[in-house]
Amino acid sequence: EILTDHAFCEQKAASNAITLIVQNPNLGDLVQEMAKLVQEEMDHFKRVHDIILERGFTLGRERKDDYVNELRKFVIVGGSRADQLVDRLLFSAMIEARSCERFKVLSENINDEQLSSFYHELMISEATHYAMFIRLAKKYAGEIDVDKRWKQYLDYESQVVQNYGKSETIHG
């Protein structure tokens, strides 16, 4: 179950990067960063799918990601393009940060050497993605106080996570 959820998280991360490209084609450096991210996330998807197949399973159906959907409610929909971009980047940073934390826990606690090593590698990757999204948010913030908005995200997210327990999901 967690491998299927993980595979779809990677696919969604790639889709998010594609959306950022489509919405911001004029920002050359952002487009370049997101293009690299799409490739990396789809490579992760394939690697998870390979593990699923190696173990004699098939990729299950995609499940709704309640955590991400709750977090999405906090993203600014109106306002300026800068407001929307910064919020989308911070939303992405939050998801990458939490994925990094979950992969750390998995890598340190799973009784499977292959998955432990894989999740440790992904923990490092997700930390890099988190830092990239924060850096881009600060670059394109203009007059927006990114640190203040990040704190607001953290406060909102702390309320969201109280609704979740132990489930076979990356973000649940």
Side-chain angles (χ1 to χ4, degrees):
E1 290 295 315
I2 200 161
L3 289 170
T4 290
D5 185 67
H6 178 190
F8 282 112
C9 285
E10 298 293 355
Q11 178 270 320
K12 290 172 193 169
S15 294
N16 180 58
I18 291 169
T19 298
L20 282 162
I21 292 169
V22 170
Q23 292 176 345
N24 303 281
N26 57 314
L27 304 177
D29 60 333
L30 182 133
V31 170
Q32 287 293 307
E33 294 272 7
M34 293 304 109
K36 287 188 290 189
L37 185 61
V38 169
Q39 290 177 323
E40 186 175 338
E41 300 290 12
M42 288 310 296
D43 176 63
H44 293 168
F45 173 87
K46 183 179 181 324
R47 291 175 64 195
V48 174
H49 190 244
D50 288 346
I51 291 169
I52 290 170
L53 294 176
E54 286 169 13
R55 291 168 183 235
F57 300 115
T58 57
L59 181 63
R61 291 198 170 277
E62 176 185 7
R63 292 180 285 188
K64 191 171 64 163
D65 191 327
D66 293 325
Y67 166 83
V68 171
N69 289 332
E70 283 292 317
L71 198 59
R72 187 177 319 244
K73 291 177 184 177
F74 195 67
V75 175
I76 292 174
V77 177
S80 71
R81 288 184 59 78
D83 289 338
Q84 292 176 36
L85 174 58
V86 167
D87 249 46
R88 184 66 178 248
L89 293 168
L90 292 178
F91 165 79
S92 302
M94 179 68 72
I95 293 168
E96 296 290 342
R98 295 306 174 244
S99 296
C100 175
E101 291 170 352
R102 182 61 65 98
F103 288 142
K104 181 180 189 310
V105 169
L106 284 168
S107 72
E108 293 174 350
N109 294 287
I110 197 164
N111 293 323
D112 181 310
E113 193 172 315
Q114 178 191 22
L115 290 179
S116 177
S117 176
F118 182 50
Y119 286 136
H120 179 77
E121 177 188 339
L122 292 180
M123 173 194 69
I124 295 165
S125 178
E126 301 299 293
T128 302
H129 299 163
Y130 154 76
M132 174 197 61
F133 280 119
I134 294 290
R135 178 178 46 79
L136 289 170
K138 288 182 177 185
K139 177 175 184 174
Y140 292 110
E143 300 298 314
I144 301 165
D145 184 340
V146 172
D147 293 329
K148 178 181 175 186
R149 185 64 178 151
W150 181 246
K151 171 83 170 79
Q152 292 169 342
Y153 260 95
L154 291 171
D155 292 344
Y156 178 78
E157 196 252 3
S158 73
Q159 297 301 311
V160 168
V161 296
Q162 291 180 22
N163 298 320
Y164 297 96
K166 297 179 181 179
S167 62
E168 301 86 8
T169 62
I170 297 300
H171 299 118

